[in-house]
Amino acid sequence: MSETTTEPTSEAGDTEAHARLSTAPVEESGSTAVPGSFGGRRAPGPWGWITWTAREITGWARWFWRQLTSMRTALLLLLLLSLAAIPGSLIPQNGVDPMKVEQFREERTTLTPLYDALGMFDVYSSVWFSAIYILLFVSLIGCIVPRTWQFVGQLRGRPPGAPKRLDRMPAYTTWRTAGQPEEVREAALGVLRKRRFRAHTVGDAVAAEKGYLRELGNLAFHLALIVMLIAFGWGELYKSEGNKLIVEGDGFANTPVQYDDMRSGSLFSNDDLEPFSFDLDDFRATYAQSGPNRGTPRTYEAELTYREGVDGTEKKKVVEVNKPLEIGGTKVYLTSHGYAPVVTVRDGKGEVVFSQPVPMLPIDQNITSQGAVKVLDGYRNPQGEEEQLGFSTVFVPTFAGKGSGTMFSQFPALEFPVLAVAGYHGSLGVDSGILQNVYQLDDRKMKQFKDENGDTLRKMLLPGESMELPGGAGSITFEKEIKEWANFQVVRQPAGGWALTGAIAAIAGLSGSLFIQRRRVWVRATAGEDGVTVVEMAGLGRSESARLPQELGELVGLVHDRAPTAPDAAPDPDAAPDPDAAPDPDADGPDSKGPDADGPDPEGRDADGPDPDSDPADSPVPSPEGADK
Amino acid sequence: MTTLAATTNESLAQISNVLIYSAMAVYTLAFFAYIAEWTFGSRSKVARTAAALTSGKDAAEPAAAAPAVTVKKAGGTTVLERPEVVVRSSGTSRADVPDGPGAHGGDEQGDLYGRIAVSLTVLGFLLSFGGVLTRALSVQRAPWGNMYEFNITFTTVAVGVYLALLAFRRNVRWMGLPLVTAVLLDLGVAVTWLYTDSDQLVPALHSYWLYIHVSTAILCGAVFYVAAVSTILYLFRDSYENKLATGGTPGRFATSVMERLPAANSLDKFAYRVNAAVFPLWTFTIIAGAIWAGDAWGRYWGWDPKETWSFITWIAYACYLHARATAGWKGRKAAYLALLAFGCWLFNYYGVNIFVSGSKHSYAGVE
Ligand code: HEM
């Protein structure tokens, strides 16, 4: 990378003329950062030790900072970040699907400890992943800040004056005109300003520049990335997210105790919860009635009545899958649904001990569902003892097992509902403190009801039918009313607006940075030896571009209209370089030192960042020059 | 009423299938025509590259330094003619290597076959476009609900991009053969393994963001693909030029093929420009996806495998752009990055759907 080295020695030179077309950082040569030697010898005595150490520390710190904010490091960190994101997409993640993680843990007992140690189940919040992106963003800030100052400096300053040899520029032309040099310069100034160039006269030439938006766009883009990251991080820290299953007719108030489960960011507090409540009035689902995908869902609609604040006025809203209810910064999403058959349980005396809808958990596309009816208290067995009852149930909205007796559904809507029940008595084990799955029966401390043959007592019930428990133990009824339930995800993730703003700014900035070309144009007008004015015009872009010569051509046309070619000037190739012979590199010595040697400003430091000339970066739109050469 | 609608839909779906199969047949013919173009083109004996590179070497010697100048002479002798702009190619000596004449190699018969091939490609494009359109009509929505539909749309758009470039007089006919080959493979995969009967959308896909996000994703993919083909050819052509520049003699087959391609420099630039032009759109695609995810699932970013791979792809392309823009990783190294990035895109497109289970993007329903 030797050709991209800046030469600090030329700092004293005509800085303005060589101001860079881009504020892109120039790669350090490395020679300034020889580890461990930051100049100076260690003087004797404690003071000497202190100064030496301080020098050593600051030296290292500066070296480290320069490395971190160098373009090469940024590139490496970017690559690392994309590599680091891969495992999280292949290994189950806690944040995405905790059930899968559990399954993985059970199946791969040897890998699990290793993965645990490496944080493989939480890649995106792991130390190493965070380290990479934090470094990247520190590097980004370290990159943006100096470039911003540099850019402000360029905006404050004026376009640099014309280089000595305009004919060495990528696009060049010259002609002779009858007007005075001042008049030509004046005309050129007018033309360029009209074309919204920043232009002024320096010495015998007009210097103009345009396309600052490129730089601005680039800075805006990188800044927007930082905004997005902060917004995302903020959102993660303060977010809360929970689920609530609601049966038609029931409601929910937004307090932590009402959630079925809840997760929140590490800085979240319960006071952050928006006060509101809602009831599920009705749930409607429609399904494909025919065709190859019969049974696939078409629409889901949940009709809600909601109240903002503690007791606000009631409002209605239909929530669909992509259309959440929004209250303040909280959104209520519809995520799943199922059936909740109403079940009534009576004791031996015929008294109702349980009567309510029981939500069942769908296990397939056609909503074959499993569930459990748990009678926790209020039941006494025929002997008069207090006991708990449990029923494991399978529910199908459209029974398909006629004749075979197997319980599965062939259509998700309620066309032929059947509930299969099997009963237990004893202790449900709910008090034992272990979290119980509401959809499953823990039968470890329960006894099955048996029929007269000693077989398990189970029965398939149609709506309205009952199953008698043996020995006068009571009955269970599958009521005609079957309700539906819907699961709602209640999410609050602040700073989403910031993330979106950052995203939009990023796209705008990126487009500016990729599609706008920064370029300079010079118009020199001098009196030739024979007194006829020689006009020279040249253009320089950050890259070799098809549009630059074209644009220069247009400008030339405009200037030429005001300062036309002098009629019949005596041919004098020495005084007025004619296009055919124009650029003659030999005049300036060998021209073979590689791209930079024949750069735009051969004298002085390389003004245009790392490698301006051979950089085709600037006009991304395929142009004739790209492929049509 | 529903049955009537259903039957018209099914017959439309039937028409769509027929159109897709016809497009495949026509692309196959185009494939052979491109082959013929290349074959006839091999009769020509162009060897401009070697000449350019050798003279380039001479140029490196100061004494013989021929300035890299293209001079456009002012027409005639009219004095008042506007002065012409002199363009000075200031790149490396490689910047002056001329582009090859294209697959036909200047051979007249080859050129004829090339033109036939392009005409057939246009016909194939129209047929597959019709296939996508009738599919869309049959399902009464955008035809992007499953992998089969993605694929037929994707190939249509990829060929569309190629034809659009041709229509804008870009020199891209050399891309015809690799493009049509890939399109045939892709369609083959679509009709044999990915075919899904026409159907409407599950509720999770009901959103206008579907139109925005998926259509831009498909367009980006097609454009990235075009750039990737160019990048691969750049790598071959670059090795070829390197070999010539160092005095080696590439094999006859290599010479015959490579001489007809554009110069490495042109291929590289073309690939860069295409990639850079579409990168903001790809950024937009991901953001549109995030907005949609926010509407559908309650979080705009959740590291779902599909999201993660979009992110990886995005970072990989950003790497490539950085490498090109500033870091001095130009040429082959940057090209490898570009291919890596395209590999990520491919994996996101096929791999995640096929190998990674549990993505929310599996379009199974509400969860
Ligand atoms: C999240 C990480 C980053 C992403 C996604 C990103 C993306 C981009 C993109 C897409 C471009 C446009 C390339 C072009 O102009 O052709 C760009 C340009 C640039 N980036 Fe980054 N960047 C990141 C981090 C950084 C860092 C850490 C630095 C500092 C070392 C940096 C410095 C630059 C510079 C100087 C340019 C402009 C080059 C020019 O003037 O053309 N970027 N970046």
Side-chain angles (χ1 to χ4, degrees):
Chain A
M1 288 286 310
S2 60
E3 75 246 33
T4 60
T5 311
T6 39
E7 276 148 26
T9 44
S10 66
E11 205 88 304
D14 181 5
T15 19
E16 258 231 317
H18 306 299
R20 291 153 57 171
L21 263 173
S22 156
T23 52
V26 177
E27 289 287 302
E28 295 288 337
S29 65
S31 60
T32 46
V34 180
S37 71
F38 299 106
R41 237 182 282 135
R42 183 174 160 178
W47 182 245
W49 184 84
I50 289 169
T51 47
W52 181 82
T53 311
R55 209 162 47 228
E56 207 56 4
I57 288 173
T58 49
W60 275 106
R62 285 182 52 184
W63 176 82
F64 184 73
W65 181 249
R66 259 203 309 267
Q67 292 304 308
L68 184 61
T69 56
S70 83
M71 212 53 194
R72 205 183 290 115
T73 311
L75 199 63
L76 233 95
L77 286 171
L78 272 172
L79 266 177
L80 262 180
L81 187 67
S82 61
L83 284 180
I86 294 176
S89 72
L90 306 175
I91 299 166
Q93 295 294 296
N94 274 324
V96 178
D97 195 345
M99 306 272 272
K100 265 235 182 85
V101 176
E102 273 315 304
Q103 199 185 335
F104 186 94
R105 281 174 187 283
E106 278 159 25
E107 285 168 10
R108 311 274 179 85
T109 38
T110 36
L111 266 183
T112 298
L114 182 69
Y115 278 12
D116 266 329
L118 294 173
M120 282 296 182
F121 298 117
D122 293 283
V123 165
Y124 305 108
S125 50
S126 71
V127 176
W128 47 274
F129 191 78
S130 313
I132 296 172
Y133 74 70
I134 288 171
L135 275 179
L136 182 60
F137 276 85
V138 170
S139 158
L140 192 52
I141 292 167
C143 194
I144 290 178
V145 172
R147 291 185 66 202
T148 308
W149 292 133
Q150 229 172 321
F151 181 58
V152 168
Q154 289 181 1
L155 281 183
R156 285 237 201 93
R158 305 176 110 189
K164 282 191 206 92
R165 302 255 339 234
L166 283 182
D167 57 5
R168 303 191 54 138
M169 291 292 120
Y172 172 78
T173 193
T174 181
W175 72 94
R176 291 149 55 90
T177 186
Q180 288 304 304
E182 302 85 67
E183 290 166 14
V184 177
R185 284 197 288 270
E186 208 47 46
L189 209 57
V191 165
L192 287 163
R193 288 206 171 132
K194 204 156 174 203
R195 285 292 191 102
R196 303 215 325 285
F197 273 83
R198 289 180 71 204
H200 68 137
T201 311
V202 198
D204 60 357
V206 173
E209 185 164 358
K210 193 176 172 180
Y212 292 83
L213 271 179
R214 177 198 174 91
E215 206 61 31
L216 192 67
N218 195 280
L219 289 173
F221 170 72
H222 286 85
L223 206 69
L225 288 182
I226 296 181
V227 171
M228 277 163 79
L229 179 88
I230 293 175
F232 184 68
W234 185 276
E236 289 291 299
L237 287 175
Y238 285 96
K239 84 167 174 197
S240 67
E241 181 183 314
N243 281 290
K244 177 67 181 176
L245 185 151
I246 303 175
V247 178
E248 282 169 321
D250 286 352
F252 166 80
N254 194 22
T255 55
V257 287
Q258 291 232 359
Y259 282 96
D260 296 334
D261 63 70
M262 190 169 165
R263 274 189 290 174
S264 58
S266 37
L267 295 180
F268 168 84
S269 87
N270 287 343
D271 301 337
D272 293 337
L273 282 180
E274 206 100 30
F276 67 86
S277 59
F278 65 87
D279 302 323
L280 175 62
D281 300 332
D282 190 18
F283 181 87
R284 290 181 298 269
T286 56
Y287 304 93
Q289 291 289 337
S290 58
N293 289 21
R294 186 178 128 82
T296 49
R298 288 281 167 265
T299 55
Y300 293 132
E301 288 174 346
E303 215 173 271
L304 305 185
T305 302
Y306 69 98
R307 291 158 295 272
E308 286 180 48
V310 184
D311 37 26
T313 49
E314 296 202 334
K315 292 180 209 157
K316 295 258 179 207
K317 161 94 183 173
V318 176
V319 172
E320 294 173 49
V321 174
N322 278 318
K323 293 179 193 139
L325 166 67
E326 284 190 62
I327 296 171
T330 307
K331 292 187 182 176
V332 179
Y333 294 90
L334 171 63
T335 56
S336 57
H337 83 109
Y339 292 99
V342 179
V343 172
T344 303
V345 180
R346 293 183 172 81
D347 64 12
K349 294 181 214 137
E351 263 173 56
V352 174
V353 291
F354 179 98
S355 182
Q356 64 186 64
V358 181
M360 310 263 165
L361 188 71
I363 53 172
D364 67 17
Q365 293 288 312
N366 285 326
I367 324 197
T368 302
S369 314
Q370 281 179 342
V373 176
K374 299 180 184 179
V375 181
L376 296 176
D377 42 34
Y379 173 77
R380 281 174 190 278
N381 64 15
Q383 287 76 41
E385 296 158 313
E386 239 180 78
E387 226 183 358
Q388 292 182 321
L389 290 183
F391 300 88
S392 72
T393 58
V394 176
F395 173 79
V396 291
T398 301
F399 184 56
K402 227 178 195 171
S404 70
T406 39
M407 285 293 287
F408 68 93
S409 171
Q410 62 181 8
F411 193 70
L414 285 176
E415 291 188 348
F416 182 6
V418 172
L419 182 73
V421 291
Y424 298 79
H425 60 104
S427 166
L428 286 164
V430 179
D431 316 318
S432 63
I434 302 161
L435 206 64
Q436 260 214 345
N437 188 332
V438 277
Y439 306 107
Q440 263 172 357
L441 214 54
D442 176 5
D443 60 2
R444 280 172 301 181
K445 291 186 194 154
M446 304 203 88
K447 277 200 284 281
Q448 273 194 338
F449 286 111
K450 307 272 170 149
D451 62 12
E452 52 272 25
N453 304 330
D455 291 333
T456 308
L457 177 73
R458 34 171 110 247
K459 196 168 172 193
M460 286 187 207
L461 304 173
L462 294 174
E465 287 184 347
S466 300
M467 177 176 82
E468 290 295 326
L469 299 177
S475 67
I476 176 167
T477 311
F478 174 29
E479 301 290 350
K480 288 210 163 101
E481 185 184 14
I482 299 167
K483 296 199 172 190
E484 290 189 66
W485 59 258
N487 190 70
F488 293 93
Q489 193 181 13
V490 182
V491 185
R492 179 179 169 277
Q493 185 169 23
W498 280 101
L500 186 62
T501 312
I504 293 168
I507 294 178
L510 186 62
S511 306
S513 132
L514 286 172
F515 300 143
I516 295 172
Q517 149 103 298
R518 185 124 170 242
R519 64 271 193 201
R520 290 186 184 144
V521 169
W522 292 279
V523 186
R524 173 171 281 145
T526 46
E529 276 167 20
D530 54 358
V532 180
T533 303
V534 177
V535 186
E536 287 180 287
M537 279 182 77
L540 166 68
R542 259 207 66 217
S543 73
E544 197 175 325
S545 146
R547 278 181 292 176
L548 180 73
Q550 199 186 329
E551 187 179 26
L552 188 73
E554 287 163 19
L555 291 169
V556 165
L558 292 173
V559 176
H560 186 256
D561 287 347
R562 303 189 191 192
T565 307
D568 195 33
D572 187 356
D574 296 328
D578 115 70
D580 292 70
D584 180 7
D586 282 345
D588 245 19
D591 198 11
S592 55
K593 281 180 279 172
D596 270 13
D598 55 3
D601 25 35
E603 53 273 290
R605 72 179 168 146
D606 170 15
D608 291 285
D611 201 357
D613 295 352
S614 56
D615 177 0
D618 279 323
S619 34
V621 178
S623 73
E625 188 228 351
D628 258 349
K629 225 170 191 173
Chain B
M1 182 207 80
T2 30
T3 38
L4 187 72
T7 42
T8 44
N9 288 353
E10 263 160 46
S11 61
L12 269 173
Q14 211 53 48
I15 293 172
S16 166
N17 293 351
V18 172
L19 284 171
I20 293 294
Y21 276 103
S22 317
M24 286 176 70
V26 173
Y27 282 141
T28 312
L29 292 177
F31 173 79
F32 286 119
Y34 282 120
I35 294 271
E37 181 188 14
W38 278 97
T39 315
F40 281 107
S42 70
R43 293 197 298 210
S44 74
K45 293 273 177 286
V46 267
R48 298 192 282 175
T49 316
L53 283 168
T54 341
S55 74
K57 244 198 221 142
D58 291 344
E61 277 144 35
V69 177
T70 319
V71 178
K72 293 180 191 161
K73 283 212 170 75
T77 44
T78 346
V79 201
L80 280 175
E81 188 92 358
R82 188 192 276 189
E84 285 287 328
V85 172
V86 177
V87 182
R88 187 158 184 272
S89 157
S90 51
T92 55
S93 62
R94 286 293 190 80
D96 306 314
V97 174
D99 289 338
H104 55 77
D107 182 271
E108 227 166 86
Q109 221 165 337
D111 187 44
L112 178 68
Y113 276 106
R115 285 167 193 281
I116 293 175
V118 171
S119 313
L120 286 169
T121 311
V122 172
L123 182 61
F125 169 75
L126 291 176
L127 286 170
S128 78
F129 184 80
V132 172
L133 198 69
T134 42
R135 178 86 182 187
L137 290 174
S138 88
V139 291
Q140 287 160 9
R141 59 169 164 78
W144 310 316
N146 51 54
M147 282 292 280
Y148 170 73
E149 293 174 1
F150 284 144
N151 272 33
I152 60 173
T153 315
F154 176 75
T155 52
T156 308
V157 174
V159 175
V161 169
Y162 164 70
L163 293 176
L165 286 171
L166 275 182
F168 282 103
R169 308 234 154 266
R170 299 284 178 268
N171 170 17
V172 289
R173 212 166 91 192
W174 45 269
M175 195 181 277
L177 185 61
L179 183 80
V180 166
T181 311
V183 161
L184 276 174
L185 285 175
D186 202 41
L187 283 178
V189 169
V191 297
T192 40
W193 286 299
L194 303 173
Y195 185 76
T196 321
D197 273 322
S198 99
D199 187 31
Q200 285 164 7
L201 286 182
V202 295
L205 294 182
H206 281 293
S207 168
Y208 56 90
W209 286 107
L210 166 77
Y211 292 82
I212 300 170
H213 171 69
V214 183
S215 63
T216 52
I218 289 175
L219 181 63
C220 287
V223 177
F224 282 144
Y225 175 74
V226 166
V229 171
S230 178
T231 307
I232 291 174
L233 293 180
Y234 156 74
L235 285 174
F236 283 126
R237 171 84 192 197
D238 185 57
S239 327
Y240 171 72
E241 286 180 14
N242 278 343
K243 201 160 190 180
L244 281 180
T246 51
T249 30
R252 265 190 47 210
F253 179 73
T255 308
S256 168
V257 172
M258 290 301 150
E259 274 301 326
R260 286 179 275 159
L261 287 178
N265 198 41
S266 307
L267 286 169
D268 188 34
K269 255 192 213 176
F270 176 76
Y272 171 77
R273 287 180 179 171
V274 169
N275 275 330
V278 83
F279 185 74
L281 190 66
W282 178 239
T283 312
F284 171 78
T285 303
I286 295 175
I287 290 165
I291 295 174
W292 182 18
D295 281 355
W297 302 315
R299 85 287 183 289
Y300 56 84
W301 195 265
W303 297 110
D304 173 274
K306 202 92 180 176
E307 290 167 357
T308 305
W309 277 94
S310 301
F311 173 75
I312 294 172
T313 310
W314 186 74
I315 291 280
Y317 274 109
C319 260
Y320 165 68
L321 293 183
H322 266 154
R324 288 293 303 240
T326 33
W329 258 42
K330 298 206 173 85
R332 298 186 75 89
K333 275 203 232 165
Y336 291 133
L337 270 180
L339 289 184
L340 192 77
F342 186 67
C344 293
W345 193 89
L346 274 186
F347 184 76
N348 195 20
Y349 187 64
Y350 293 106
V352 172
N353 289 33
I354 295 165
F355 303 118
V356 184
S357 63
S359 166
K360 281 205 180 203
H361 291 74
S362 55
Y363 315 116
V366 220
E367 260 198 282

